[in-house]
Amino acid sequence: MKIAIPKERRTHEHRVAATPDTVKKLVALGAEVIVEAGAGLASRFNDEAYKSAGATVAADLQAVLGDADVVLKVQRPLLASDEGPDELAAMKKGAVLVGSLSPFSDPNALQAYAKAGVNALTMEFVPRITRAQTMDVLSSQSNLAGYRAVLEAAYVYGRVMPMMMTAAGTVAPARVMVLGAGVAGLQAIATAKRLGAIVSATDVRPVAKEQVESLGGKFVMVESEETAAAETSGGYAREMSADYQRRQAELVADTLKKQDIAICTALIPGRKAPTLINDEMVHSMKPGSVIVDLAVEQGGNCTLSKPGEVVDVNGVTIVGHLNVPSRLATDASALYAKNLLNFLTPLINAESGTLQVNWDDEIVAATTLTRDGQVVHSAFQNSDPQ
């Protein structure tokens, strides 16, 4: 069995799908691993480290992908319509593609996978069940994003985060509000508290209250009968009614006026990110305040954030960096690669070193987008190739 690790070519992507550590474990399982030259450089893993771990390093993309049984990726492969080499065309029919394929961002790509005969599995759809926790790429990457978001805010904030008592006077601590108390939000709360800020947080799920308060944050939420069903079976927040959104927005608006920093983390899988901070709220914030919008790639939680830009609106700095986990590429790659290793290991026959996929397995079935030339995931049944 050959496993290919190509270089990531999409803009703003510095991660890699395997590290020397995970390569060593894949080789121990009986796999032959081939890594594209330079694939790990942006994550601080050089070619020699991969060779020492037992991988073959090749400079030619076709040599890497051409006869690979499994292709591990961070982001979805480039197609003929994208700038750069057609990575999908280099894969053989029947190859298993595993990565964070963002199917909602480009549903038409599924048609291309099916036509190419590639069996595509997307890691974002790993179910949140006990035995899949070590495979959960959304959690591992969101955790880093929440941490980095606070550092990004602190970097552009013109004052210190903790209270400081000096002979010249006392500096008041920064007030930080985190919008969305999922994995990224909880890590943002913990990081802001460690830096000495006064932290509050909001979420539509009542279960988040205990989690926020356990980290030392103050929970801000409109409580109603609707919030009792605000969480999906997968642990995500549901989209709330217009009336609830209005009342929650009023509460957030009143709280934001007193804040120095807002960290936006609210996402709904497969949907545009909910608007939590509108133009009026931004204008109500104090000059020197900072907003970091982690949802900017899905439309943004703040109406004035711009993807890939840091903008100033009447003295309020709005940070809209893309692919925030990639800004911590070494650790992000290490965690992501371990997620992929844990996902792939049960699919490998340890005695023969061959791939033996149980397509009926709960985790495999949930993540499979295309198989045997067909789009098979229920969310994309209308994406079958013509």
Side-chain angles (χ1 to χ4, degrees):
M1 178 182 60
K2 292 187 177 181
I3 299 177
I5 315 296
K7 185 187 303 181
E8 296 296 322
R9 291 177 164 82
R10 291 193 179 274
T11 308
H12 304 293
E13 187 53 74
H14 304 296
R15 293 170 292 178
V16 64
T19 64
D21 179 61
T22 61
V23 164
K24 187 181 299 183
K25 291 180 172 62
L26 290 170
V27 170
L29 289 171
E32 178 184 343
V33 180
I34 183 166
V35 178
E36 185 177 0
L41 290 180
S43 298
R44 305 296 186 263
F45 303 115
N46 60 36
D47 292 344
E48 289 303 316
Y50 284 109
K51 290 178 182 178
S52 298
T56 299
V57 176
D60 180 67
L61 180 63
Q62 185 62 48
V64 175
L65 296 177
D67 60 352
D69 301 295
V70 179
V71 178
L72 300 183
K73 289 276 295 170
V74 177
Q75 294 204 39
R76 62 187 186 276
L78 296 178
L79 308 180
S81 57
D82 296 314
E83 292 185 10
D86 187 341
E87 295 175 302
L88 183 63
M91 298 179 199
K92 71 177 184 180
K93 184 177 181 180
V96 174
L97 168 66
V98 183
S100 294
L101 305 181
S102 303
F104 289 117
S105 299
D106 187 9
N108 292 330
L110 275 66
Q111 298 180 18
Y113 304 151
K115 288 180 180 179
V118 169
N119 301 316
L121 289 78
T122 190
M123 293 299 291
E124 302 103 306
F125 288 0
V126 167
R128 287 190 163 174
I129 58 177
T130 301
R131 68 185 178 96
Q133 286 181 341
T134 60
M135 312 171 192
D136 190 348
V137 299
L138 292 181
S139 291
S140 72
Q141 303 304 292
S142 294
N143 198 40
L144 292 173
Y147 165 81
R148 182 71 186 210
V150 177
L151 300 189
E152 298 290 352
Y155 179 74
V156 298
Y157 182 51
R159 300 167 63 183
V160 300
M161 296 284 275
M163 181 176 72
M164 290 187 177
M165 301 179 69
T166 73
T170 299
V171 178
R175 293 183 175 273
V176 176
M177 184 176 191
V178 178
L179 294 90
V183 174
L186 292 173
Q187 183 56 248
I189 293 167
T191 303
K193 286 295 293 184
R194 284 197 294 268
L195 290 176
I198 297 173
V199 183
S200 59
T202 182
D203 197 288
V204 299
R205 300 166 300 149
V207 68
K209 180 178 181 180
E210 183 178 347
Q211 296 169 325
V212 168
E213 292 177 344
S214 71
L215 293 171
K218 179 183 177 182
F219 193 60
V220 178
M221 184 188 78
V222 171
E223 296 188 18
S224 72
E225 292 182 1
E226 189 175 353
T227 58
E231 185 173 18
T232 68
S233 58
Y236 299 101
R238 297 185 188 277
E239 188 169 16
M240 306 298 281
S241 69
D243 178 64
Y244 182 89
Q245 290 181 39
R246 177 188 58 77
R247 288 188 292 147
Q248 180 73 356
E250 290 173 354
L251 179 60
V252 170
D254 184 60
T255 307
L256 270 178
K257 295 175 183 178
K258 309 162 190 173
Q259 305 301 308
D260 300 300
I261 294 171
I263 309 290
C264 301
T265 73
L267 290 170
I268 301 173
R271 303 287 295 274
K272 181 183 180 300
T275 297
L276 302 180
I277 302 179
N278 59 30
D279 295 22
E280 184 180 350
M281 295 179 191
V282 173
H283 291 294
S284 74
M285 296 181 73
K286 299 177 291 186
S289 299
V290 178
I291 298 171
V292 178
D293 193 346
L294 289 180
V296 70
E297 290 172 275
Q298 285 186 223
N301 293 149
C302 176
T303 52
L304 294 175
S305 61
K306 294 185 178 180
E309 297 184 31
V310 177
V311 298
D312 184 288
V313 179
N314 289 345
V316 177
T317 303
I318 306 176
V319 180
H321 292 316
L322 301 174
N323 197 353
V324 173
S326 189
R327 298 172 76 84
L328 295 165
T330 303
D331 287 332
S333 295
L335 295 178
Y336 183 83
K338 189 65 69 69
N339 291 145
L340 291 185
L341 173 67
N342 293 331
F343 179 83
L344 200 59
T345 298
L347 311 183
I348 298 175
N349 185 310
E351 294 183 2
S352 63
T354 58
L355 191 69
Q356 294 185 353
V357 182
N358 175 9
W359 297 101
D360 294 323
D361 178 82
E362 181 180 5
I363 298 173
V364 174
T367 57
T368 302
L369 298 174
T370 61
R371 181 186 172 200
D372 298 333
Q374 298 293 323
V375 176
V376 297
H377 198 282
S378 59
F380 304 96
Q381 284 298 292
N382 294 329
S383 296
D384 280 310
Q386 300 298 318

